Amino acid sequence: MTTPTAPAFTDWSGLRAALERTSGRYPSAAVEALRADRARYVPDMLAELQRLADDPSPLVADADVILHFHLIALLAEFREPAALAPVIALARRGEDDIEAILGDFVGELLGRALASLCAGRFDELVSLADDAAVDTWVRSAAVEALAVLALEGDLPHAEAVQRIVAVGEREAARLAGKLADDEHAPLLTLISGTLCDMAAVDALPAVRHWFEQGLVDKSFNGDLSALEAEFQVPLEERRRQLQDLKRGYVTSASESLAEWPMFKLPAAVGDVLHIDNGTPFARTDAKVGRNDPCPCGSGKKYKKCCGA
């Protein structure tokens, strides 16, 4: 069986086409071409990302369009600060659209990407975290970005903790008297976990207060005594743990994305799928998109069920 040769890319339009849609395989050749000539292509990448930020309707309309994932991950790898504004603009889209636009990217990579693109603009991350109109998981990613900056040494740990606690205190004040007895504050629950990951012992009084107010979901973080014990892990040990888990800056877009389930599917050629043993078989059912209901009948989206 003849091994196919890697495509030769000569311009942005060819690279864009290779990155635009999910095909079941990670587009390694296109990614390597962009890395090899990044000075030439970064302006095109930024312009494309800005177009999608200005009008994300193609992302909302078609779940197979994943160009923005590649652009954000690569520009984060390149530490390209001009990408921060369009990424934040995409992230600020309403909750009705954010799942279609970013989906699992929010929890998997957005925080690290924001940190990689920040270039000292900490206030922009705080503004995103403070914005109650933004999806809670996006706000949490902005908080995570501050933690990543501290982990990487580009924001003093004490300042990062202070900024994150301040976000939490403003959220607690905003929600005062507005929650039912059995309701919690999702952002404060997530912030408490982030502060724990940072071994932010100085933040414990604020976290205790949030627990006492019933704002933190114990089913997510455990009870207060368990969380307090986790806060006592030495900071350097926490740093090592997070580094081992690759929770710092995006250093390789390929490493960050290539293992996602969407890139582990059999490669489609027309209406035929070619599996690893070289035996083709005809597709008999409709292709399942990452945001479609899972065909197993669980009621979950495919990407969070059998496609995970």
Side-chain angles (χ1 to χ4, degrees), residues 18-19 31 38 56 66 89 107 138 168 184 302 304:
L19 300 175
V31 169
R38 56 190 278 187
I66 57 170
V138 169
H184 306 291
Y302 175 67
K304 293 187 177 179

Side-chain angles (χ1 to χ4, degrees), residues 23-94:
S23 65
R25 289 289 182 267
Y26 185 73
S28 301
V31 169
E32 288 304 322
L34 288 168
R35 285 196 182 109
D37 205 357
R38 56 190 278 187
R40 174 186 175 187
Y41 289 118
V42 160
D44 293 308
M45 296 167 71
L46 288 169
E48 191 69 48
L49 187 60
Q50 186 62 59
R51 277 192 288 273
L52 290 171
D54 291 340
D55 177 18
S57 59
L59 310 179
V60 177
D62 188 347
D64 284 339
V65 175
I66 57 170
L67 176 61
H68 55 312
F69 291 168
H70 293 296
L71 294 176
I72 296 171
L74 278 164
L75 290 167
E77 175 188 323
F78 299 163
R79 303 288 298 278
E80 176 50 62
L84 182 64
V87 172
I88 288 179
L90 276 173
R92 283 189 186 276
R93 290 288 169 171

Side-chain angles (χ1 to χ4, degrees), residues 271-274 279-285:
D271 291 328
V272 176
L273 294 178
H274 292 268
T279 304
F281 65 92
R283 183 193 296 276
T284 58
D285 54 355

Side-chain angles (χ1 to χ4, degrees), residues 192 196 203-214 216-232:
S192 298
C196 178
L204 265 174
V207 173
R208 289 191 187 106
H209 186 53
W210 300 335
F211 265 87
E212 290 165 0
Q213 291 178 298
V216 177
D217 186 351
K218 296 178 183 179
S219 68
F220 192 88
N221 279 334
D223 61 27
L224 180 56
S225 60
L227 197 64
E228 284 181 326
E230 288 292 314
F231 266 84
Q232 304 305 320

